[in-house]
Amino acid sequence: MPQGSFLLGTVVRNIDRNEGIDIDLVAIRDVSKFSTTQTELKKDAGVAVSNYRSSPNSDAPETSECSRCFTLTWHGMHLDVLPAIPNPAPPGGILITDKDVVRWLPSNPKGYAGWFRAQMVEQLEHQRVILAKELEIEEVPEWQVKTTLQRAVQALKRHRDIYFADRDGKPTSVVLTTLAAMAYQGGDDIYEVLRSVTGRMGDLLVKVNGRWTLPNPAQPGEDFMDSWAADPERAEMFFEWLDTAQQTFDEFGLRHGLDYSVPLLGQAFGDRFAKAASRGLASTMHGARQDRSLRAASGGLIVGAMTAGSHRVKEHSFRGGSTA
């Protein structure tokens, strides 16, 4: 079954176009923990990965092993396969292996996905209704709906990737996703959501016995910040990044116009994203000019629809004059 960003609808493309997309899967073997060991489970999963790699339809991916999972790598995609067995409590929970830990580790990807969805269920239904009306169909599949929480998580992950491109200590996606979902208070404007979320995320972290903790809301006993204990600098780097992210999104709310917005987009999300956004906006403005819906508000701000105090921008022929 899928887990992580594919299950949550928060996948982001890598910064480098040549890097592959990461997909996370859980490979569950339906046996009791009393009938196998972590070593045996990992070994069996390794055999399955090796057999698959040798099959004629696999395209012979490269394979590697880490402490918890196996990775299959094709051109354009990395597939992480996490061996697991069922955990009777809570429902839907799993137990996973780790070479560095003697005991079975509890996790709950399905439960976490359910918790994440509950954080945005009101807006999810709102978006579904709007889209259903636009498409004139009775029911819209959930995969066609993207809430501002999902988009905010994607934006935070991309901003993080840019910020930590040449730095160590990058916070994990599950930490960003969990804090963003906890801080989320709804809203239709993505930048207002980002400003609100980044303003609240830091206050949601707590210290227990001198250690930062972030419990998995769907799995008691699992701490998403267990790696911070071994590397205290991770906390310092996280809060430095969070301050930068908050300043970035605050600036988006203060500045207007392509001359300001495009450089900010480049700093926050990378040049490729900024250029694509610029091209998209230019295309939108050209279309609005062509259908005579482009407006100019007081102060020179270009808008795409009639607003109070705005006036229509004359169609331009680009031959030194106007056609209207």
Side-chain angles (χ1 to χ4, degrees):
M1 68 177 187
Q3 68 164 336
S5 57
F6 264 78
L7 189 58
L8 304 178
T10 59
V11 174
V12 293
R13 292 186 178 276
N14 291 308
I15 298 173
D16 187 340
R17 186 184 292 273
N18 295 322
E19 292 181 358
I21 292 176
D22 297 321
I23 302 177
D24 297 315
L25 296 181
V26 180
I28 302 177
R29 185 177 178 191
D30 192 15
V31 297
S32 165
K33 70 177 182 179
F34 302 108
S35 64
T36 188
T37 66
Q38 294 185 59
T39 301
E40 290 173 346
L41 181 68
K42 193 77 179 293
K43 182 179 178 181
D44 288 345
V47 171
V49 167
S50 179
N51 289 341
Y52 172 73
R53 184 188 183 282
S54 302
S55 65
N57 297 324
S58 72
D59 290 333
E62 295 182 8
T63 60
S64 60
E65 179 182 357
C66 69
S67 60
R68 293 188 179 184
C69 67
F70 293 90
T71 299
L72 290 78
T73 304
W74 295 266
H75 178 71
M77 187 177 75
H78 307 283
L79 180 67
D80 290 332
V81 181
L82 179 69
I85 60 174
N87 187 9
I94 60 174
L95 296 172
I96 64 177
T97 69
D98 191 314
K99 285 184 175 180
D100 301 324
V101 181
V102 175
R103 62 184 176 86
W104 292 93
L105 297 177
S107 190
N108 194 345
K110 282 187 177 180
Y112 183 88
W115 171 82
F116 183 82
R117 188 183 186 282
Q119 306 304 107
M120 59 181 183
V121 64
E122 184 175 336
Q123 199 199 35
L124 188 63
E125 186 57 33
H126 174 65
Q127 293 290 93
R128 192 196 302 273
V129 170
I130 291 175
L131 191 55
K133 289 179 180 179
E134 291 177 353
L135 299 180
E136 297 182 353
I137 56 179
E138 292 184 359
E139 184 176 351
V140 179
E142 187 170 322
W143 57 266
Q144 288 186 283
V145 177
K146 187 77 74 173
T147 68
T148 47
L149 173 57
Q150 291 166 303
R151 296 191 185 281
V153 169
Q154 290 176 309
L156 290 171
K157 288 163 65 174
R158 173 45 58 94
H159 186 280
R160 171 208 59 186
D161 291 344
I162 296 294
Y163 184 85
F164 284 95
D166 55 359
R167 295 179 173 92
D168 296 327
K170 183 170 75 172
T172 61
S173 293
V174 71
V175 167
L176 300 192
T177 302
T178 303
L179 289 174
M182 292 169 63
Y184 182 65
Q185 296 180 314
D188 295 324
D189 187 306
I190 181 60
Y191 289 111
E192 287 301 319
V193 169
L194 283 166
R195 293 172 68 189
S196 172
V197 164
T198 53
R200 301 182 67 238
M201 285 171 63
D203 297 332
L204 297 172
L205 290 174
V206 296
K207 271 188 173 181
V208 177
N209 297 326
R211 291 177 50 178
W212 291 105
T213 63
L214 183 62
N216 182 343
Q219 178 61 60
E222 184 176 15
D223 185 2
F224 290 143
M225 288 184 171
D226 53 5
S227 62
W228 286 26
D231 188 1
E233 289 187 1
R234 284 180 174 270
E236 182 179 342
M237 295 299 297
F238 170 81
F239 285 110
E240 287 180 4
W241 164 78
L242 184 59
D243 286 342
T244 301
Q246 189 170 5
Q247 292 171 18
T248 297
F249 299 128
D250 282 344
E251 286 198 59
F252 277 122
L254 296 174
R255 299 188 181 186
H256 301 288
L258 287 176
D259 290 344
Y260 293 106
S261 299
V262 172
L264 282 175
L265 286 170
Q267 294 172 20
F269 305 121
D271 290 338
R272 181 157 54 92
F273 179 91
K275 290 176 181 177
S278 179
R279 289 194 299 269
L281 182 56
S283 176
T284 299
M285 292 175 65
H286 176 71
R289 184 186 292 275
Q290 292 295 99
D291 66 16
R292 305 171 73 84
S293 65
L294 191 63
R295 310 285 171 178
S298 59
L301 179 65
I302 300 298
V303 294
M306 177 64 79
T307 59
S310 67
H311 60 276
R312 184 173 65 84
V313 176
K314 292 183 178 181
E315 184 179 354
H316 201 286
S317 66
F318 299 98
R319 292 190 296 272
S322 66
T323 60

